[in-house]
Amino acid sequence: MSFGQGGPQWGPGGPDSGPPNWGSGSDTPDWAALAEASEARARRRRWLWIGGSALATVVVGALVAMAVVSANSSSASNQPADELPTSADIPSDTTQPGPSFEATTAPPPLDPKDFVSSVKKDTAPLSADTLFPGSSLTMGERIYKKGSTSSTTKCATAVRGALAKVLTSNDCTRVIRATYSRKGVAVTVGVALFDTEAKATKAKQEWDKGNVASLSGSGVPAFCTTAVCRSTANSYGRYAYFTVSGFTDGKNVTQKDSAVFTTGDDLAEFTFRQIRRRGEAQASAAANSPAS
């Protein structure tokens, strides 16, 4: 036997296997196919595990439901169905009297205007000091100094022109006046009292000429005696109130003199509020009275 180059050659597979082939021939394993097969087996195992879990859950739920139904029906299983009471045999609570409550209705709130619309209800003390209290009046940023006040039952003496006849024909019982001034402008407001709201309203409607007489003194010079001034009229309840406003230096008032218009409007608004407050006070006292 020769140990030269012509001797037999073999690989690890035996004498007939030939030398090992490390190339890329058909004997090389298909690694991609092997990986896909492994992944497929893993997927099958996961689905089998999920399916088994779901089946176990369904089985457990069914067993629990059967146990609940069995427990609920066990109390009735001891008595035949024909021996169970019918709905007509079950006593009802219709024979028991229900709770009873007395019907109560809150009284309607008292209307403040009712107490200042008739002399029979408007009985609170009234004077120039209660209607126009203090020594000054503040409306917004404007401060007015109070001048003279007066009160008379002779209504015609507190007004001028045709207004005297209007007050007299409607049975005016009293006129209260007060004067206020600010920066050379003065205003006198006159409040005429009547026994009823209807008479006060009628006096306001009939007013077209004449005005309340201006009231000077207490630091306010005579005004609106001969000069052109601005006048207003209104009413609330059994009260009709009139204003006359103008310059303290005797100058005529024109439509451009906004300060005069503002002064008259402020005093008219304040008078309305005072009359309404009077009604509110009397309504509150009546509501809290034991007799009510």
Side-chain angles (χ1 to χ4, degrees), residues 157-181:
T157 64
V159 298
R160 291 183 173 182
L163 184 56
K165 183 179 179 181
V166 170
L167 299 186
T168 301
S169 64
N170 287 287
D171 302 321
C172 171
T173 61
R174 189 177 178 187
V175 173
I176 299 174
R177 289 182 294 168
T179 295
Y180 291 84
S181 64

Side-chain angles (χ1 to χ4, degrees), residues 7-266:
Q9 299 179 2
W10 61 81
D16 297 328
S17 64
N21 188 350
W22 304 106
S24 57
S26 59
D27 293 334
T28 302
D30 190 343
W31 300 110
L34 292 175
E36 290 181 1
S38 177
E39 179 62 24
R41 288 193 298 273
R43 282 197 299 269
R44 284 196 297 273
R45 284 195 297 270
R46 283 197 298 269
W47 282 112
L48 288 174
W49 184 85
I50 293 173
S53 298
L55 178 61
T57 301
V58 172
V59 171
V60 172
L63 292 175
V64 172
M66 291 174 63
V68 171
V69 172
S70 175
N72 289 338
S73 60
S74 62
S75 59
S77 62
N78 296 327
Q79 187 174 2
D82 56 356
E83 296 182 8
L84 293 176
T86 63
S87 59
D89 297 330
I90 299 175
S92 64
D93 294 334
T94 56
T95 59
Q96 299 295 328
S100 61
F101 302 95
E102 293 185 4
T104 58
T105 303
L110 301 176
D111 186 356
K113 190 177 181 182
D114 288 344
F115 289 86
V116 292
S117 295
S118 171
V119 68
K120 295 180 180 180
K121 285 189 174 183
D122 191 15
T123 59
L126 178 65
S127 66
D129 290 335
T130 60
L131 199 56
F132 303 103
S135 59
S136 63
L137 168 63
T138 300
M139 296 291 286
E141 299 179 351
R142 299 174 294 279
I143 301 175
Y144 299 95
K145 182 179 180 297
K146 188 170 77 172
S148 298
T149 62
S150 72
S151 177
T152 180
T153 57
K154 298 179 180 180
C155 299
T157 64
V159 298
R160 291 183 173 182
L163 184 56
K165 183 179 179 181
V166 170
L167 299 186
T168 301
S169 64
N170 287 287
D171 302 321
C172 171
T173 61
R174 189 177 178 187
V175 173
I176 299 174
R177 289 182 294 168
T179 295
Y180 291 84
S181 64
R182 177 179 181 267
K183 296 182 178 181
V185 177
V187 56
T188 293
V189 55
V191 181
L193 279 71
F194 302 85
D195 286 346
T196 64
E197 179 183 8
K199 290 185 177 181
T201 302
K202 190 169 181 288
K204 179 200 70 173
Q205 293 172 344
E206 292 178 350
W207 170 83
D208 60 351
K209 293 182 180 179
N211 50 45
V212 63
S214 61
L215 186 64
S216 59
S218 300
V220 181
F223 67 101
C224 293
T225 54
T226 58
V228 175
C229 290
R230 187 214 182 199
S231 299
T232 67
N234 215 322
S235 67
Y236 184 80
R238 71 185 189 101
Y239 298 79
Y241 49 99
F242 308 87
T243 67
V244 59
S245 52
F247 294 105
T248 56
D249 61 2
K251 184 174 64 174
N252 290 335
V253 176
T254 67
Q255 291 184 350
K256 296 180 180 180
D257 296 317
S258 59
V260 176
F261 283 73
T262 299
T263 299
D265 291 344
D266 280 350

